[in-house]
């Protein structure tokens, strides 16, 4: 049985949006159910349960149940900013601001979410024949950084070349960081380094990165990447067993930046993403402001 695959238009991969890790897992689990060669219809409901999320991410079912309802409520309000290039009829870029889902149901007794994608979103998920990015849902299932998932998608878009250079300002906009981490050292420490670490640990890619200056200012990041040896081996005859034996154990997803999720949830502010809470707690810990379990 083949693993579920995620198909996204390249325009959606490069879009500007921000989702938490749990929101990403819900969206990607549903996107993996969309038939790429199917008709565009906004009538179909896609479903994912807390048990599905727990199995996919190797987290506890109890934790998944607790997070699923909150994430479902937030997803209805999440927006995505897409840039469509001119199609020959004009010289100005067309920017679209739309939502991910038009309707979302949370079935409390079953710990399950059902959703319909917006009509504007569907062309970026189905009837894709060119200009799309594909990867296995399992590649990102164990990542606990939303930035890692986004960066992985951006690298997969250029998987055939093994190299991608991006402007830092563009990447900040794509991740919708706003005024967070204005100093390059903080941006690298809290965004790039953890993202690359998780990609190297959990995905089939091995990634290295460097920076490039324009004048005295660091303006670009260059990522070089390739398939891990074990992944290449698994594609050859008889290589699956050896690849499985060589695969390192997965890190537990019950903590973020070394902080237990229970602590993060207890200290989270209204509307604050888990990743932002964890980073804030690291700073507050020095001043003794973190409440324990």
């Amino acid at each position: 049985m083949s693993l579920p695959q995620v198909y996204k238009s390249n325009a959606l991969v490069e879009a500007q949006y921000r989702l938490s890790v749990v929101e990403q897992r819900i969206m990607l689990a549903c996107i993996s159910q969309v038939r790429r060669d199917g008709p565009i219809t906004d009538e179909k409901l896609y479903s994912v349960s807390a048990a599905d999320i727990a199995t996919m991410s190797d987290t506890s079912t109890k934790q998944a149940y607790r997070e699923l309802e909150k994430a479902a409520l937030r997803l209805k309000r999440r927006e995505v900013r897409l840039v469509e290039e001119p199609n020959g009829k004009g010289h100005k870029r067309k920017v679209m601001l739309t939502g991910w889902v038009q309707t979302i149901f949370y079935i409390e007794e079953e710990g399950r979410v059902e959703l319909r994608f917006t009509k504007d979103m569907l062309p970026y998920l189905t009837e894709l024949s060119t200009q799309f990015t594909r990867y296995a849902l399992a590649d990102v299932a164990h990542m606990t950084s939303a930035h890692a998932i986004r960066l992985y998608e951006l690298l997969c878009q250029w998987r055939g070349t093994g190299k991608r250079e991006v402007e830092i300002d563009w990447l900040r906009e794509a991740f919708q960081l706003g005024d967070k981490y204005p100093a390059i050292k903080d941006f690298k420490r809290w965004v790039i380094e953890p993202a690359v670490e998780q990609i190297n640990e959990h995905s089939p890619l091995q990634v290295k990165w460097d920076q490039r200056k324009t004048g005295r200012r660091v303006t670009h990041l260059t990522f070089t990447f390739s398939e891990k040896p074990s992944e290449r081996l698994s594609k050859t005859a008889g290589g699956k067993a050896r690849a499985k034996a060589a695969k390192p154990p997965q890190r537990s997803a019950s903590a973020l930046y070394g902080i237990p999720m229970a602590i993060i949830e207890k200290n989270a502010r209204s509307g604050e993403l888990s990743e932002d809470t964890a980073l804030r707690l690291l700073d507050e810990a020095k001043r003794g402001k973190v409440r324990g379990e």
Side-chain angles (χ1 to χ4, degrees):
M1 181 177 172
S2 60
L3 294 172
Q5 299 286 309
V6 174
Y7 289 85
K8 284 186 177 182
S9 164
N10 287 343
L12 181 55
V13 170
E14 297 187 347
Q16 298 177 19
Y17 65 87
R18 184 150 192 210
L19 298 175
S20 71
V21 174
V22 180
E23 291 163 4
Q24 286 265 37
R25 287 172 179 163
I26 294 172
M27 293 304 304
L28 293 177
C30 291
I31 289 173
S32 70
Q33 299 170 37
V34 177
R35 289 184 57 87
R36 179 173 60 94
D37 56 351
I40 296 178
T41 172
D42 62 346
E43 295 299 316
K44 184 172 176 57
L45 278 169
Y46 298 93
S47 175
V48 60
S49 69
D52 295 333
I53 296 294
T55 300
M56 178 178 75
S57 59
D58 196 25
T59 55
S60 70
T61 304
K62 182 178 180 180
Q63 178 182 331
Y65 268 93
R66 189 166 55 244
E67 294 176 339
L68 189 65
E69 182 178 13
K70 296 178 182 178
L73 294 174
R74 291 195 304 262
L75 269 174
K76 184 64 177 69
R77 302 190 294 269
R78 296 298 191 192
E79 294 181 335
V80 56
R81 186 176 185 270
L82 289 131
V83 178
E84 298 180 350
E85 298 295 341
N87 59 4
K89 298 181 180 180
H91 301 287
K92 295 182 178 180
R93 296 194 308 171
K94 187 176 181 180
V95 178
M96 178 175 69
L97 185 66
T98 187
W100 290 92
V101 299
Q102 58 172 310
T103 309
I104 190 161
F105 300 95
Y106 178 69
I107 299 88
E108 187 174 357
E109 291 78 6
E110 301 177 16
R112 180 164 53 87
V113 164
E114 293 180 345
L115 61 82
R116 288 191 184 95
F117 291 106
T118 62
K119 181 175 279 188
D120 289 329
M121 181 58 62
L122 283 166
Y124 297 93
L125 303 175
T126 190
E127 288 193 353
L128 301 175
S129 57
T130 60
Q131 301 296 311
F132 66 87
T133 296
R134 174 178 64 92
Y135 61 89
L137 180 60
D139 292 354
V140 299
H142 290 85
M143 294 181 187
T144 56
S145 165
H147 301 139
I149 297 173
R150 289 297 312 275
L151 181 60
Y152 181 71
E153 290 183 340
L154 290 169
L155 298 185
C156 283
Q157 188 182 356
W158 289 59
R159 203 162 189 161
T161 67
K163 184 177 182 178
R164 179 161 196 178
E165 184 175 86
V166 295
E167 291 185 28
I168 292 176
D169 289 344
W170 178 87
L171 193 62
R172 289 180 58 85
E173 289 182 358
F175 289 1
Q176 289 202 337
L177 294 180
D179 58 358
K180 293 180 180 294
Y181 324 120
I184 185 63
K185 65 176 183 178
D186 293 330
F187 176 69
K188 291 189 292 185
R189 180 183 180 187
W190 300 118
V191 178
I192 300 303
E193 291 175 0
V196 170
E197 178 184 353
Q198 291 203 5
I199 291 172
N200 285 337
E201 181 175 359
H202 298 301
S203 85
L205 295 184
Q206 188 69 39
V207 183
K208 295 181 180 179
W209 66 280
D210 202 353
Q211 60 189 36
R212 179 167 69 82
K213 291 183 177 181
T214 301
R216 295 183 178 181
R217 179 172 173 261
V218 178
T219 56
H220 293 72
L221 296 177
T222 303
F223 299 91
T224 55
F225 49 94
S226 61
E227 300 283 335
K228 292 176 182 174
S230 61
E231 296 297 326
R232 291 196 296 267
L233 186 61
S234 68
K235 295 176 184 178
T236 64
K240 291 185 178 180
R242 294 191 298 275
K244 184 176 181 180
K247 188 176 181 180
Q250 298 288 2
R251 184 171 59 188
S252 171
S254 60
L256 191 56
Y257 298 121
I259 303 175
M261 289 304 300
I263 299 288
I264 293 173
E265 291 171 5
K266 191 167 186 177
N267 287 271
R269 294 170 179 170
S270 177
E272 189 174 46
L273 303 184
S274 296
E275 197 160 3
D276 291 335
T277 304
L279 294 175
R280 175 171 57 78
L281 294 184
L282 289 174
D283 292 331
E284 293 183 356
K286 297 179 180 179
R287 301 191 294 272
K289 293 185 178 182
V290 180
R291 300 190 304 272
E293 292 185 70

